[in-house]
Amino acid sequence: MHRLLLLGCLWLLAAPPVSSIFQRPTGTPAPLHLQYLLEPLHPTVHTQRGATATLPCVLRALPRNYRVKWSKVEPANYGENIIIITNGLFHKNYGPLSPRVRLRHSHRYDASLTITDVALEDEGRYRCQLVNGLEDESISLTLHLEGVVFPYQPSNGRYKFNYHEAKRACEQQDSRLATYQQLYKAWTEGLDWCNAGWILDGTVHYPIINSREPCGGRLLLPGVRSYGARDKQKDRFDAFCFTSALQGQVYFIRGHLNFKEAGQACRSHGAALAKVGQLYSAWKFSQLDRCDGGWLADGSVRYPITTPRQRCGGLPDPGVRSFGFPSKEMRTYGTYCFVG
C-alpha cells in the first residue's frame, strides 16, 4: 500500500501541469503574456490604396500614468518611426503619416489606429506599445495592401537601373518597388519572369514558374531566385513594381495615333496618358480587357487581357501584354487614358 502511494506521488511530481495536458494544436502560436493589452484576433489587416483601415489595439485595463505609442517598424532601417502617442486624454501625431492618422477611440479602452486614404507606402508592420514603467508591453500588426506586382524596364533595354533609379521609375509609374513578400505572393499567383529586378529592401530576385535553360537551367526547381543584396549605386537590373487599387478610371481611345497625338487625345477628354501602374491596376481591380494596343505615358504600348483568346496574343494566361517601346512617330495604336 505504501509502495502504491509512493508511486502515485512520484507520478504526480513527474506529470505535466493540468493546463499543459490539453496542448494547443501543432503550429498554433503561443499566447502573448499580456496584462493590459488584448491580443489581436486578426494580426493582419487587409486593405487597398485609398481605403480607410483600422489597426486594432484595445486595453483590458487602464494602468496609472500610462501612455500608448504607435509606431511603424522599418526593417530596412533597423528602426521604428513613431506615429502617435496618447495618454488616453490627449494625443500627438508624428511624421509623414500625421495628417492621415487618428485614434479610433470608440470607448475608453480603445487605442486602435485609423489610417485614412491608405497609400502604397503604408503597407508594413506596426507596433502598439503600452508604456507603463517596468510593465511595458506591445502587440504587432501587419497592414497588407491587395495589389499587383509587375516587372519594369526602361525604353533603352534591360538591366539599366541602379537601385535608386529603379525606385524612382516605379514611383513615376504610379507604383513603388515591391517587397519580397509581395513578389513571393505574385510568384505563387503565376508571375514568371526571367529578368532579375530590384525590390524595396535593396536585394535582387526573379520569379520562375517554368524552369528553363535561359533562366537558371531546367534542373533548378521553380521559385523566387535570388541574387541577394547588391551595390545600390553600381549594380544594374530591372525593377519589380507594386501597385494597388485606383482612385480613378483607365479607358481606351481608338485611333491611329502617334505618341504626341495620343497625349493630346487624352487631354481633350480632360484626362492624361495612363501610367503603366494604372493600367495594371485597372486590369487587376476593374477587369479591364481590351485587345487593342495603346500608348502609355512612358512611351510604351500595352494592352490588358483578362479573358485570354487566340486573336489577342494567343497566350493562355491573363496579363498585361506589351509591344515594348515603338517609335513615337508610329501611327499604329490607340491610347489608354486615366482620369482621376
Side-chain angles (χ1 to χ4, degrees), residues 7 28 33 36 38 48 54 61 107 117 164 192 197 200 208 225 240 259 266 282 285 308 334:
L7 287 172
T28 303
H33 297 291
Y36 294 109
L38 289 175
Q48 294 179 355
T54 297
H107 52 79
D117 193 19
H164 306 287
D192 182 278
L200 187 61
I208 294 296
R225 312 272 171 80
F240 286 106
F259 178 71
C266 290
F285 292 98

Side-chain angles (χ1 to χ4, degrees), residues 70-128:
W70 274 100
S71 55
K72 189 170 189 288
V73 181
E74 303 290 354
N77 304 328
Y78 303 100
E80 296 185 13
N81 293 327
I82 297 175
I83 299 170
I84 196 168
I85 297 178
T86 180
N87 63 1
L89 295 175
F90 306 99
H91 69 272
K92 183 173 177 59
N93 294 14
Y94 298 87
L97 267 173
S98 180
R100 297 188 288 113
V101 296
R102 58 180 171 81
L103 294 170
R104 182 173 64 179
H105 207 61
S106 58
H107 52 79
R108 62 196 294 250
Y109 299 100
D110 185 14
S112 301
L113 182 73
T114 295
I115 305 173
T116 60
D117 193 19
V118 170
L120 295 176
E121 59 269 21
D122 295 343
E123 175 158 303
R125 193 155 64 92
Y126 292 76
R127 176 171 289 130
C128 176

Side-chain angles (χ1 to χ4, degrees), residues 154-175:
S155 59
N156 57 342
R158 73 172 195 158
Y159 294 176
K160 300 296 183 182
F161 294 136
N162 67 24
Y163 172 81
H164 306 287
E165 292 164 345
K167 185 172 183 290
R168 190 160 52 249
C170 287
E171 291 166 356
Q172 289 170 348
Q173 296 309 315
D174 193 50
S175 58

Side-chain angles (χ1 to χ4, degrees), residues 33-228:
H33 297 291
L34 297 172
Q35 181 179 354
Y36 294 109
L37 297 176
L38 289 175
E39 182 180 358
L41 187 61
H42 301 291
T44 300
V45 174
H46 297 266
T47 188
Q48 294 179 355
R49 178 169 56 175
T52 296
T54 297
L55 300 167
C57 183
V58 178
L59 283 67
R60 67 171 84 238
L62 301 176
R64 298 181 63 182
N65 302 319
Y66 78 96
R67 289 178 298 151
V68 170
K69 179 177 72 174
W70 274 100
S71 55
K72 189 170 189 288
V73 181
E74 303 290 354
N77 304 328
Y78 303 100
E80 296 185 13
N81 293 327
I82 297 175
I83 299 170
I84 196 168
I85 297 178
T86 180
N87 63 1
L89 295 175
F90 306 99
H91 69 272
K92 183 173 177 59
N93 294 14
Y94 298 87
L97 267 173
S98 180
R100 297 188 288 113
V101 296
R102 58 180 171 81
L103 294 170
R104 182 173 64 179
H105 207 61
S106 58
H107 52 79
R108 62 196 294 250
Y109 299 100
D110 185 14
S112 301
L113 182 73
T114 295
I115 305 173
T116 60
D117 193 19
V118 170
L120 295 176
E121 59 269 21
D122 295 343
E123 175 158 303
R125 193 155 64 92
Y126 292 76
R127 176 171 289 130
C128 176
Q129 181 179 16
L130 183 134
V131 181
N132 185 37
L134 297 177
E135 298 176 307
D136 294 359
E137 56 190 46
S138 66
I139 58 171
S140 291
L141 301 111
T142 299
L143 185 67
H144 171 76
L145 269 69
E146 302 293 341
V148 58
V149 171
F150 60 93
Y152 189 74
Q153 58 184 224
S155 59
N156 57 342
R158 73 172 195 158
Y159 294 176
K160 300 296 183 182
F161 294 136
N162 67 24
Y163 172 81
H164 306 287
E165 292 164 345
K167 185 172 183 290
R168 190 160 52 249
C170 287
E171 291 166 356
Q172 289 170 348
Q173 296 309 315
D174 193 50
S175 58
R176 73 187 298 235
L177 278 175
T179 65
Y180 181 81
Q181 290 78 8
Q182 290 165 345
L183 182 62
Y184 184 88
K185 183 174 184 291
W187 169 71
T188 66
E189 294 171 349
L191 181 60
D192 182 278
W193 197 255
C194 207
N195 293 347
W198 294 101
I199 63 172
L200 187 61
D201 64 2
T203 57
V204 175
H205 308 266
Y206 63 102
I208 294 296
I209 298 289
N210 303 306
S211 298
R212 50 203 186 272
E213 285 305 327
C215 309
R218 297 179 182 274
L219 299 180
L220 284 179
L221 292 174
V224 178
R225 312 272 171 80
S226 176
Y227 286 6

